[in-house]
Amino acid sequence: MAVHLAVDPQRLVVRLSGMDRLWALSAGVVVPTAAVTGVRAVSRAEAVARGGGWRLPGAHLPGVLRVGTFVSRSTGRSFWCVHRAERVLLVELDGEPYDRLVLEVEDPDEVSRAVARARFR
């Protein structure tokens, strides 16, 4: 897994490494925690239903990986870095270039709680 996530009261820092940087054409994303409107662990299928769309730029191999920016008329812009995980972290944002972040992290439930503590304390 090539997602490194750092959470503090001021910002959420997502850094990519390895091939994910190449596939996404991005080193990662930094958003203020004040922009987070919701965060939770969801199934991969739910995340796709809530934020799929056209790949711009990124890589997508069905069931294997989805990395980069994806745009949909109905759900806006999403930043993805998910390989084969069945449960992922979904972070919903307001007032940022991305409407949501969908990330494969080691323990999505624990990371969700950490982001919620930083944002909604």
Side-chain angles (χ1 to χ4, degrees):
M1 181 173 19
V3 174
H4 304 283
L5 184 67
V7 180
D8 66 44
Q10 287 77 41
R11 62 189 181 157
L12 178 66
V13 180
V14 178
R15 292 285 174 232
L16 303 182
S17 62
M19 290 299 293
D20 289 335
R21 285 180 83 142
L22 177 65
W23 290 325
L25 294 179
S26 173
V29 177
V30 178
V31 295
T33 54
V36 175
T37 59
V39 58
R40 66 184 186 283
V42 299
S43 69
R44 180 187 185 126
E46 181 181 344
V48 169
R50 294 178 55 79
W54 295 88
R55 177 176 32 124
L56 287 178
H60 180 228
L61 295 171
V64 178
L65 69 89
R66 182 182 285 247
V67 179
T69 300
F70 291 78
V71 179
S72 166
R73 284 186 190 177
S74 61
T75 59
R77 290 183 61 172
S78 301
F79 184 82
W80 285 73
C81 189
V82 175
H83 290 249
R84 295 184 185 263
E86 288 303 315
R87 288 188 51 79
V88 297
L89 180 70
L90 174 64
V91 180
E92 295 174 341
L93 305 169
D94 185 39
E96 293 299 311
Y98 293 103
D99 297 301
R100 70 196 43 76
L101 308 175
V102 184
L103 307 169
E104 179 177 341
V105 294
E106 190 70 33
D107 184 352
D109 293 303
E110 180 55 37
V111 174
S112 171
R113 287 189 289 273
V115 172
R117 278 192 303 269
R119 170 60 177 108
F120 304 109
R121 55 183 172 116

mmCIF file of all heavy atoms in Angstrom, residues 76-121:
data_model
loop_
_atom_site.group_PDB
_atom_site.id
_atom_site.type_symbol
_atom_site.label_atom_id
_atom_site.label_comp_id
_atom_site.label_asym_id
_atom_site.label_seq_id
_atom_site.Cartn_x
_atom_site.Cartn_y
_atom_site.Cartn_z
ATOM 1 N N GLY A 76 -19.311 14.926 -8.522
ATOM 2 C CA GLY A 76 -18.176 15.837 -8.518
ATOM 3 C C GLY A 76 -16.840 15.137 -8.686
ATOM 4 O O GLY A 76 -16.749 14.077 -9.298
ATOM 5 N N ARG A 77 -15.780 15.736 -8.104
ATOM 6 C CA ARG A 77 -14.402 15.221 -8.238
ATOM 7 C C ARG A 77 -14.026 14.388 -7.028
ATOM 8 O O ARG A 77 -14.251 14.809 -5.897
ATOM 9 C CB ARG A 77 -13.424 16.370 -8.360
ATOM 10 C CG ARG A 77 -13.524 17.108 -9.668
ATOM 11 C CD ARG A 77 -12.502 18.178 -9.760
ATOM 12 N NE ARG A 77 -11.179 17.550 -9.684
ATOM 13 C CZ ARG A 77 -10.050 18.170 -9.877
ATOM 14 N NH1 ARG A 77 -10.051 19.458 -10.134
ATOM 15 N NH2 ARG A 77 -8.918 17.561 -9.794
ATOM 16 N N SER A 78 -13.405 13.257 -7.299
ATOM 17 C CA SER A 78 -12.933 12.366 -6.238
ATOM 18 C C SER A 78 -11.467 12.049 -6.459
ATOM 19 O O SER A 78 -11.023 11.885 -7.598
ATOM 20 C CB SER A 78 -13.711 11.047 -6.250
ATOM 21 O OG SER A 78 -15.084 11.271 -6.085
ATOM 22 N N PHE A 79 -10.719 11.956 -5.368
ATOM 23 C CA PHE A 79 -9.331 11.509 -5.426
ATOM 24 C C PHE A 79 -9.278 10.121 -4.826
ATOM 25 O O PHE A 79 -9.692 9.905 -3.693
ATOM 26 C CB PHE A 79 -8.414 12.453 -4.638
ATOM 27 C CG PHE A 79 -6.963 12.076 -4.746
ATOM 28 C CD1 PHE A 79 -6.222 12.468 -5.849
ATOM 29 C CD2 PHE A 79 -6.349 11.305 -3.773
ATOM 30 C CE1 PHE A 79 -4.886 12.110 -5.968
ATOM 31 C CE2 PHE A 79 -5.020 10.946 -3.877
ATOM 32 C CZ PHE A 79 -4.285 11.341 -4.979
ATOM 33 N N TRP A 80 -8.782 9.164 -5.595
ATOM 34 C CA TRP A 80 -8.752 7.756 -5.196
ATOM 35 C C TRP A 80 -7.326 7.236 -5.096
ATOM 36 O O TRP A 80 -6.476 7.599 -5.906
ATOM 37 C CB TRP A 80 -9.443 6.896 -6.252
ATOM 38 C CG TRP A 80 -10.924 6.981 -6.260
ATOM 39 C CD1 TRP A 80 -11.680 8.035 -6.693
ATOM 40 C CD2 TRP A 80 -11.822 5.968 -5.854
ATOM 41 N NE1 TRP A 80 -12.999 7.722 -6.577
ATOM 42 C CE2 TRP A 80 -13.125 6.457 -6.069
ATOM 43 C CE3 TRP A 80 -11.662 4.675 -5.347
ATOM 44 C CZ2 TRP A 80 -14.256 5.718 -5.770
ATOM 45 C CZ3 TRP A 80 -12.789 3.942 -5.053
ATOM 46 C CH2 TRP A 80 -14.073 4.458 -5.264
ATOM 47 N N CYS A 81 -7.106 6.367 -4.131
ATOM 48 C CA CYS A 81 -5.912 5.524 -4.095
ATOM 49 C C CYS A 81 -6.319 4.231 -3.391
ATOM 50 O O CYS A 81 -6.222 4.096 -2.161
ATOM 51 C CB CYS A 81 -4.744 6.195 -3.390
ATOM 52 S SG CYS A 81 -3.224 5.214 -3.602
ATOM 53 N N VAL A 82 -6.852 3.303 -4.190
ATOM 54 C CA VAL A 82 -7.362 2.034 -3.682
ATOM 55 C C VAL A 82 -6.840 0.917 -4.570
ATOM 56 O O VAL A 82 -6.932 0.998 -5.792
ATOM 57 C CB VAL A 82 -8.906 2.009 -3.666
ATOM 58 C CG1 VAL A 82 -9.426 0.653 -3.247
ATOM 59 C CG2 VAL A 82 -9.445 3.109 -2.763
ATOM 60 N N HIS A 83 -6.316 -0.116 -3.941
ATOM 61 C CA HIS A 83 -5.890 -1.305 -4.680
ATOM 62 C C HIS A 83 -6.962 -2.380 -4.512
ATOM 63 O O HIS A 83 -8.055 -2.184 -4.999
ATOM 64 C CB HIS A 83 -4.505 -1.746 -4.222
ATOM 65 C CG HIS A 83 -3.441 -0.779 -4.649
ATOM 66 N ND1 HIS A 83 -2.501 -1.077 -5.599
ATOM 67 C CD2 HIS A 83 -3.194 0.498 -4.281
ATOM 68 C CE1 HIS A 83 -1.710 -0.019 -5.784
ATOM 69 N NE2 HIS A 83 -2.116 0.945 -4.996
ATOM 70 N N ARG A 84 -6.710 -3.434 -3.819
ATOM 71 C CA ARG A 84 -7.673 -4.532 -3.711
ATOM 72 C C ARG A 84 -8.502 -4.526 -2.427
ATOM 73 O O ARG A 84 -9.219 -5.479 -2.160
ATOM 74 C CB ARG A 84 -6.943 -5.868 -3.833
ATOM 75 C CG ARG A 84 -6.311 -6.073 -5.187
ATOM 76 C CD ARG A 84 -5.686 -7.454 -5.260
ATOM 77 N NE ARG A 84 -4.984 -7.635 -6.491
ATOM 78 C CZ ARG A 84 -5.499 -8.242 -7.563
ATOM 79 N NH1 ARG A 84 -6.722 -8.695 -7.531
ATOM 80 N NH2 ARG A 84 -4.778 -8.380 -8.651
ATOM 81 N N ALA A 85 -8.429 -3.502 -1.647
ATOM 82 C CA ALA A 85 -9.118 -3.464 -0.350
ATOM 83 C C ALA A 85 -10.630 -3.566 -0.521
ATOM 84 O O ALA A 85 -11.204 -2.980 -1.437
ATOM 85 C CB ALA A 85 -8.778 -2.183 0.387
ATOM 86 N N GLU A 86 -11.260 -4.280 0.383
ATOM 87 C CA GLU A 86 -12.719 -4.382 0.391
ATOM 88 C C GLU A 86 -13.347 -3.269 1.214
ATOM 89 O O GLU A 86 -14.481 -2.895 0.990
ATOM 90 C CB GLU A 86 -13.161 -5.751 0.913
ATOM 91 C CG GLU A 86 -12.882 -6.883 -0.062
ATOM 92 C CD GLU A 86 -13.548 -6.654 -1.418
ATOM 93 O OE1 GLU A 86 -14.729 -6.264 -1.455
ATOM 94 O OE2 GLU A 86 -12.864 -6.843 -2.442
ATOM 95 N N ARG A 87 -12.612 -2.746 2.215
ATOM 96 C CA ARG A 87 -13.075 -1.607 3.021
ATOM 97 C C ARG A 87 -12.088 -0.466 2.842
ATOM 98 O O ARG A 87 -10.883 -0.673 2.896
ATOM 99 C CB ARG A 87 -13.199 -1.983 4.494
ATOM 100 C CG ARG A 87 -14.387 -2.899 4.722
ATOM 101 C CD ARG A 87 -14.702 -3.162 6.159
ATOM 102 N NE ARG A 87 -14.839 -2.027 7.048
ATOM 103 C CZ ARG A 87 -15.911 -1.238 7.167
ATOM 104 N NH1 ARG A 87 -16.955 -1.447 6.409
ATOM 105 N NH2 ARG A 87 -15.943 -0.253 8.033
ATOM 106 N N VAL A 88 -12.631 0.720 2.626
ATOM 107 C CA VAL A 88 -11.804 1.889 2.357
ATOM 108 C C VAL A 88 -12.269 3.059 3.218
ATOM 109 O O VAL A 88 -13.360 3.040 3.787
ATOM 110 C CB VAL A 88 -11.849 2.272 0.861
ATOM 111 C CG1 VAL A 88 -11.288 1.169 -0.008
ATOM 112 C CG2 VAL A 88 -13.259 2.630 0.432
ATOM 113 N N LEU A 89 -11.446 4.080 3.273
ATOM 114 C CA LEU A 89 -11.775 5.298 3.993
ATOM 115 C C LEU A 89 -12.392 6.291 3.018
ATOM 116 O O LEU A 89 -11.811 6.582 1.966
ATOM 117 C CB LEU A 89 -10.505 5.896 4.609
ATOM 118 C CG LEU A 89 -10.690 7.181 5.397
ATOM 119 C CD1 LEU A 89 -11.441 6.892 6.697
ATOM 120 C CD2 LEU A 89 -9.350 7.820 5.692
ATOM 121 N N LEU A 90 -13.567 6.808 3.351
ATOM 122 C CA LEU A 90 -14.252 7.812 2.542
ATOM 123 C C LEU A 90 -14.285 9.115 3.330
ATOM 124 O O LEU A 90 -14.844 9.170 4.424
ATOM 125 C CB LEU A 90 -15.677 7.369 2.217
ATOM 126 C CG LEU A 90 -16.566 8.379 1.495
ATOM 127 C CD1 LEU A 90 -16.027 8.704 0.118
ATOM 128 C CD2 LEU A 90 -17.986 7.874 1.410
ATOM 129 N N VAL A 91 -13.649 10.146 2.791
ATOM 130 C CA VAL A 91 -13.613 11.469 3.422
ATOM 131 C C VAL A 91 -14.362 12.421 2.507
ATOM 132 O O VAL A 91 -13.968 12.620 1.356
ATOM 133 C CB VAL A 91 -12.163 11.964 3.635
ATOM 134 C CG1 VAL A 91 -12.158 13.327 4.297
ATOM 135 C CG2 VAL A 91 -11.347 10.954 4.424
ATOM 136 N N GLU A 92 -15.437 13.013 3.016
ATOM 137 C CA GLU A 92 -16.216 13.968 2.234
ATOM 138 C C GLU A 92 -15.765 15.383 2.579
ATOM 139 O O GLU A 92 -15.537 15.699 3.755
ATOM 140 C CB GLU A 92 -17.699 13.765 2.493
ATOM 141 C CG GLU A 92 -18.147 12.403 1.995
ATOM 142 C CD GLU A 92 -19.577 12.075 2.341
ATOM 143 O OE1 GLU A 92 -20.137 12.703 3.256
ATOM 144 O OE2 GLU A 92 -20.125 11.184 1.690
ATOM 145 N N LEU A 93 -15.628 16.216 1.545
ATOM 146 C CA LEU A 93 -15.058 17.560 1.703
ATOM 147 C C LEU A 93 -16.001 18.624 1.158
ATOM 148 O O LEU A 93 -16.827 18.347 0.283
ATOM 149 C CB LEU A 93 -13.718 17.641 0.963
ATOM 150 C CG LEU A 93 -12.670 16.613 1.331
ATOM 151 C CD1 LEU A 93 -11.525 16.645 0.333
ATOM 152 C CD2 LEU A 93 -12.169 16.849 2.744
ATOM 153 N N ASP A 94 -15.805 19.847 1.646
ATOM 154 C CA ASP A 94 -16.572 20.989 1.150
ATOM 155 C C ASP A 94 -15.616 22.152 0.917
ATOM 156 O O ASP A 94 -14.761 22.450 1.750
ATOM 157 C CB ASP A 94 -17.639 21.391 2.172
ATOM 158 C CG ASP A 94 -18.545 22.489 1.644
ATOM 159 O OD1 ASP A 94 -18.899 22.456 0.448
ATOM 160 O OD2 ASP A 94 -18.892 23.393 2.424
ATOM 161 N N GLY A 95 -15.744 22.793 -0.241
ATOM 162 C CA GLY A 95 -14.939 23.963 -0.543
ATOM 163 C C GLY A 95 -13.512 23.661 -0.962
ATOM 164 O O GLY A 95 -12.662 24.537 -0.918
ATOM 165 N N GLU A 96 -13.245 22.448 -1.398
ATOM 166 C CA GLU A 96 -11.912 22.040 -1.836
ATOM 167 C C GLU A 96 -11.975 21.582 -3.291
ATOM 168 O O GLU A 96 -13.060 21.313 -3.811
ATOM 169 C CB GLU A 96 -11.391 20.901 -0.951
ATOM 170 C CG GLU A 96 -11.112 21.314 0.472
ATOM 171 C CD GLU A 96 -10.046 22.382 0.584
ATOM 172 O OE1 GLU A 96 -8.966 22.231 -0.025
ATOM 173 O OE2 GLU A 96 -10.292 23.380 1.263
ATOM 174 N N PRO A 97 -10.828 21.451 -3.957
ATOM 175 C CA PRO A 97 -10.852 20.965 -5.346
ATOM 176 C C PRO A 97 -11.492 19.573 -5.482
ATOM 177 O O PRO A 97 -12.073 19.271 -6.514
ATOM 178 C CB PRO A 97 -9.375 20.925 -5.735
ATOM 179 C CG PRO A 97 -8.722 21.920 -4.844
ATOM 180 C CD PRO A 97 -9.488 21.874 -3.556
ATOM 181 N N TYR A 98 -11.374 18.744 -4.442
ATOM 182 C CA TYR A 98 -11.997 17.416 -4.452
ATOM 183 C C TYR A 98 -13.205 17.413 -3.531
ATOM 184 O O TYR A 98 -13.179 18.005 -2.456
ATOM 185 C CB TYR A 98 -11.007 16.346 -3.991
ATOM 186 C CG TYR A 98 -9.869 16.135 -4.956
ATOM 187 C CD1 TYR A 98 -8.607 16.650 -4.700
ATOM 188 C CD2 TYR A 98 -10.056 15.423 -6.143
ATOM 189 C CE1 TYR A 98 -7.559 16.468 -5.584
ATOM 190 C CE2 TYR A 98 -9.031 15.249 -7.041
ATOM 191 C CZ TYR A 98 -7.781 15.770 -6.751
ATOM 192 O OH TYR A 98 -6.758 15.590 -7.642
ATOM 193 N N ASP A 99 -14.257 16.721 -3.958
ATOM 194 C CA ASP A 99 -15.453 16.568 -3.136
ATOM 195 C C ASP A 99 -15.329 15.397 -2.175
ATOM 196 O O ASP A 99 -16.037 15.337 -1.171
ATOM 197 C CB ASP A 99 -16.686 16.370 -4.031
ATOM 198 C CG ASP A 99 -16.917 17.588 -4.893
ATOM 199 O OD1 ASP A 99 -17.106 18.676 -4.326
ATOM 200 O OD2 ASP A 99 -16.885 17.447 -6.138
ATOM 201 N N ARG A 100 -14.445 14.456 -2.511
ATOM 202 C CA ARG A 100 -14.230 13.308 -1.620
ATOM 203 C C ARG A 100 -12.876 12.681 -1.892
ATOM 204 O O ARG A 100 -12.344 12.779 -2.999
ATOM 205 C CB ARG A 100 -15.341 12.275 -1.759
ATOM 206 C CG ARG A 100 -15.387 11.494 -3.019
ATOM 207 C CD ARG A 100 -16.700 10.786 -3.269
ATOM 208 N NE ARG A 100 -17.867 11.579 -2.973
ATOM 209 C CZ ARG A 100 -18.328 12.558 -3.754
ATOM 210 N NH1 ARG A 100 -17.728 12.824 -4.875
ATOM 211 N NH2 ARG A 100 -19.379 13.247 -3.415
ATOM 212 N N LEU A 101 -12.348 12.070 -0.837
ATOM 213 C CA LEU A 101 -11.124 11.272 -0.933
ATOM 214 C C LEU A 101 -11.518 9.834 -0.617
ATOM 215 O O LEU A 101 -12.244 9.592 0.346
ATOM 216 C CB LEU A 101 -10.083 11.734 0.083
ATOM 217 C CG LEU A 101 -9.723 13.214 0.111
ATOM 218 C CD1 LEU A 101 -8.763 13.490 1.265
ATOM 219 C CD2 LEU A 101 -9.126 13.640 -1.202
ATOM 220 N N VAL A 102 -11.038 8.906 -1.415
ATOM 221 C CA VAL A 102 -11.290 7.492 -1.175
ATOM 222 C C VAL A 102 -9.931 6.817 -1.114
ATOM 223 O O VAL A 102 -9.213 6.775 -2.116
ATOM 224 C CB VAL A 102 -12.167 6.863 -2.285
ATOM 225 C CG1 VAL A 102 -12.478 5.413 -1.950
ATOM 226 C CG2 VAL A 102 -13.446 7.669 -2.488
ATOM 227 N N LEU A 103 -9.583 6.306 0.087
ATOM 228 C CA LEU A 103 -8.223 5.846 0.326
ATOM 229 C C LEU A 103 -8.188 4.459 0.941
ATOM 230 O O LEU A 103 -8.995 4.143 1.821
ATOM 231 C CB LEU A 103 -7.511 6.812 1.275
ATOM 232 C CG LEU A 103 -7.541 8.282 0.872
ATOM 233 C CD1 LEU A 103 -7.055 9.143 2.009
ATOM 234 C CD2 LEU A 103 -6.738 8.503 -0.388
ATOM 235 N N GLU A 104 -7.230 3.687 0.492
ATOM 236 C CA GLU A 104 -6.968 2.385 1.108
ATOM 237 C C GLU A 104 -5.939 2.615 2.211
ATOM 238 O O GLU A 104 -4.807 3.022 1.936
ATOM 239 C CB GLU A 104 -6.419 1.400 0.083
ATOM 240 C CG GLU A 104 -6.117 0.041 0.661
ATOM 241 C CD GLU A 104 -5.639 -0.943 -0.375
ATOM 242 O OE1 GLU A 104 -5.857 -0.720 -1.586
ATOM 243 O OE2 GLU A 104 -5.043 -1.962 0.027
ATOM 244 N N VAL A 105 -6.357 2.412 3.443
ATOM 245 C CA VAL A 105 -5.475 2.564 4.597
ATOM 246 C C VAL A 105 -5.494 1.260 5.390
ATOM 247 O O VAL A 105 -6.379 0.427 5.219
ATOM 248 C CB VAL A 105 -5.893 3.752 5.487
ATOM 249 C CG1 VAL A 105 -5.699 5.067 4.754
ATOM 250 C CG2 VAL A 105 -7.311 3.619 5.970
ATOM 251 N N GLU A 106 -4.513 1.103 6.275
ATOM 252 C CA GLU A 106 -4.357 -0.140 7.036
ATOM 253 C C GLU A 106 -5.616 -0.508 7.820
ATOM 254 O O GLU A 106 -6.081 -1.621 7.763
ATOM 255 C CB GLU A 106 -3.167 -0.003 7.995
ATOM 256 C CG GLU A 106 -2.770 -1.293 8.656
ATOM 257 C CD GLU A 106 -2.139 -2.277 7.689
ATOM 258 O OE1 GLU A 106 -1.460 -1.842 6.756
ATOM 259 O OE2 GLU A 106 -2.341 -3.494 7.874
ATOM 260 N N ASP A 107 -6.159 0.420 8.587
ATOM 261 C CA ASP A 107 -7.358 0.185 9.401
ATOM 262 C C ASP A 107 -8.320 1.354 9.177
ATOM 263 O O ASP A 107 -8.256 2.356 9.889
ATOM 264 C CB ASP A 107 -6.976 0.062 10.875
ATOM 265 C CG ASP A 107 -8.149 -0.283 11.768
ATOM 266 O OD1 ASP A 107 -9.300 -0.283 11.283
ATOM 267 O OD2 ASP A 107 -7.917 -0.547 12.965
ATOM 268 N N PRO A 108 -9.219 1.247 8.204
ATOM 269 C CA PRO A 108 -10.083 2.385 7.876
ATOM 270 C C PRO A 108 -10.972 2.839 9.038
ATOM 271 O O PRO A 108 -11.242 4.028 9.171
ATOM 272 C CB PRO A 108 -10.918 1.903 6.691
ATOM 273 C CG PRO A 108 -10.605 0.492 6.478
ATOM 274 C CD PRO A 108 -9.440 0.124 7.308
ATOM 275 N N ASP A 109 -11.389 1.919 9.894
ATOM 276 C CA ASP A 109 -12.230 2.306 11.027
ATOM 277 C C ASP A 109 -11.448 3.180 12.011
ATOM 278 O O ASP A 109 -11.949 4.207 12.468
ATOM 279 C CB ASP A 109 -12.788 1.068 11.732
ATOM 280 C CG ASP A 109 -13.758 0.318 10.850
ATOM 281 O OD1 ASP A 109 -14.749 0.927 10.403
ATOM 282 O OD2 ASP A 109 -13.514 -0.879 10.587
ATOM 283 N N GLU A 110 -10.228 2.795 12.333
ATOM 284 C CA GLU A 110 -9.403 3.569 13.267
ATOM 285 C C GLU A 110 -9.002 4.918 12.665
ATOM 286 O O GLU A 110 -9.042 5.945 13.345
ATOM 287 C CB GLU A 110 -8.153 2.783 13.658
ATOM 288 C CG GLU A 110 -7.254 3.522 14.620
ATOM 289 C CD GLU A 110 -7.946 3.980 15.897
ATOM 290 O OE1 GLU A 110 -8.805 3.239 16.415
ATOM 291 O OE2 GLU A 110 -7.636 5.090 16.364
ATOM 292 N N VAL A 111 -8.634 4.932 11.394
ATOM 293 C CA VAL A 111 -8.261 6.191 10.748
ATOM 294 C C VAL A 111 -9.475 7.119 10.674
ATOM 295 O O VAL A 111 -9.358 8.328 10.879
ATOM 296 C CB VAL A 111 -7.655 5.946 9.351
ATOM 297 C CG1 VAL A 111 -7.403 7.252 8.628
ATOM 298 C CG2 VAL A 111 -6.373 5.143 9.473
ATOM 299 N N SER A 112 -10.644 6.561 10.430
ATOM 300 C CA SER A 112 -11.873 7.349 10.413
ATOM 301 C C SER A 112 -12.092 8.030 11.755
ATOM 302 O O SER A 112 -12.425 9.219 11.821
ATOM 303 C CB SER A 112 -13.059 6.444 10.072
ATOM 304 O OG SER A 112 -14.261 7.121 10.240
ATOM 305 N N ARG A 113 -11.901 7.291 12.835
ATOM 306 C CA ARG A 113 -12.052 7.879 14.173
ATOM 307 C C ARG A 113 -11.016 8.973 14.419
ATOM 308 O O ARG A 113 -11.313 10.005 15.015
ATOM 309 C CB ARG A 113 -11.973 6.792 15.246
ATOM 310 C CG ARG A 113 -13.219 5.919 15.296
ATOM 311 C CD ARG A 113 -13.210 5.001 16.494
ATOM 312 N NE ARG A 113 -12.236 3.928 16.384
ATOM 313 C CZ ARG A 113 -12.455 2.757 15.798
ATOM 314 N NH1 ARG A 113 -13.634 2.515 15.247
ATOM 315 N NH2 ARG A 113 -11.517 1.841 15.759
ATOM 316 N N ALA A 114 -9.779 8.767 13.960
ATOM 317 C CA ALA A 114 -8.719 9.766 14.150
ATOM 318 C C ALA A 114 -9.042 11.060 13.401
ATOM 319 O O ALA A 114 -8.858 12.152 13.939
ATOM 320 C CB ALA A 114 -7.376 9.206 13.691
ATOM 321 N N VAL A 115 -9.538 10.948 12.181
ATOM 322 C CA VAL A 115 -9.893 12.133 11.412
ATOM 323 C C VAL A 115 -11.080 12.838 12.067
ATOM 324 O O VAL A 115 -11.095 14.065 12.208
ATOM 325 C CB VAL A 115 -10.220 11.776 9.941
ATOM 326 C CG1 VAL A 115 -10.769 12.987 9.191
ATOM 327 C CG2 VAL A 115 -8.992 11.218 9.244
ATOM 328 N N ALA A 116 -12.071 12.066 12.521
ATOM 329 C CA ALA A 116 -13.230 12.648 13.187
ATOM 330 C C ALA A 116 -12.821 13.368 14.475
ATOM 331 O O ALA A 116 -13.337 14.466 14.761
ATOM 332 C CB ALA A 116 -14.267 11.572 13.478
ATOM 333 N N ARG A 117 -11.906 12.786 15.245
ATOM 334 C CA ARG A 117 -11.429 13.446 16.466
ATOM 335 C C ARG A 117 -10.735 14.769 16.138
ATOM 336 O O ARG A 117 -10.939 15.767 16.816
ATOM 337 C CB ARG A 117 -10.465 12.537 17.231
ATOM 338 C CG ARG A 117 -11.141 11.507 18.093
ATOM 339 C CD ARG A 117 -10.153 10.836 19.027
ATOM 340 N NE ARG A 117 -9.039 10.198 18.353
ATOM 341 C CZ ARG A 117 -8.998 8.929 17.948
ATOM 342 N NH1 ARG A 117 -10.038 8.136 18.158
ATOM 343 N NH2 ARG A 117 -7.937 8.438 17.354
ATOM 344 N N ALA A 118 -9.936 14.782 15.082
ATOM 345 C CA ALA A 118 -9.224 16.006 14.695
ATOM 346 C C ALA A 118 -10.188 17.065 14.196
ATOM 347 O O ALA A 118 -10.007 18.255 14.463
ATOM 348 C CB ALA A 118 -8.177 15.692 13.625
ATOM 349 N N ARG A 119 -11.209 16.663 13.504
ATOM 350 C CA ARG A 119 -12.145 17.622 12.895
ATOM 351 C C ARG A 119 -13.276 18.051 13.832
ATOM 352 O O ARG A 119 -13.602 19.213 13.937
ATOM 353 C CB ARG A 119 -12.741 17.015 11.624
ATOM 354 C CG ARG A 119 -13.900 17.778 11.023
ATOM 355 C CD ARG A 119 -13.492 19.187 10.639
ATOM 356 N NE ARG A 119 -14.571 19.901 10.009
ATOM 357 C CZ ARG A 119 -15.245 20.882 10.579
ATOM 358 N NH1 ARG A 119 -14.967 21.276 11.792
ATOM 359 N NH2 ARG A 119 -16.222 21.494 9.930
ATOM 360 N N PHE A 120 -13.880 17.091 14.510
ATOM 361 C CA PHE A 120 -15.117 17.353 15.249
ATOM 362 C C PHE A 120 -14.933 17.358 16.757
ATOM 363 O O PHE A 120 -15.848 17.070 17.487
ATOM 364 C CB PHE A 120 -16.201 16.334 14.852
ATOM 365 C CG PHE A 120 -16.473 16.319 13.380
ATOM 366 C CD1 PHE A 120 -16.066 15.246 12.593
ATOM 367 C CD2 PHE A 120 -17.111 17.378 12.777
ATOM 368 C CE1 PHE A 120 -16.325 15.235 11.236
ATOM 369 C CE2 PHE A 120 -17.380 17.367 11.413
ATOM 370 C CZ PHE A 120 -16.994 16.293 10.640
ATOM 371 N N ARG A 121 -13.756 17.668 17.240
ATOM 372 C CA ARG A 121 -13.511 17.649 18.685
ATOM 373 C C ARG A 121 -14.147 18.781 19.405
ATOM 374 O O ARG A 121 -14.595 19.758 19.006
ATOM 375 C CB ARG A 121 -12.026 17.621 18.982
ATOM 376 C CG ARG A 121 -11.275 18.741 18.333
ATOM 377 C CD ARG A 121 -9.786 18.622 18.590
ATOM 378 N NE ARG A 121 -9.143 19.621 17.783
ATOM 379 C CZ ARG A 121 -8.460 20.628 18.259
ATOM 380 N NH1 ARG A 121 -8.294 20.761 19.527
ATOM 381 N NH2 ARG A 121 -7.923 21.506 17.467
#
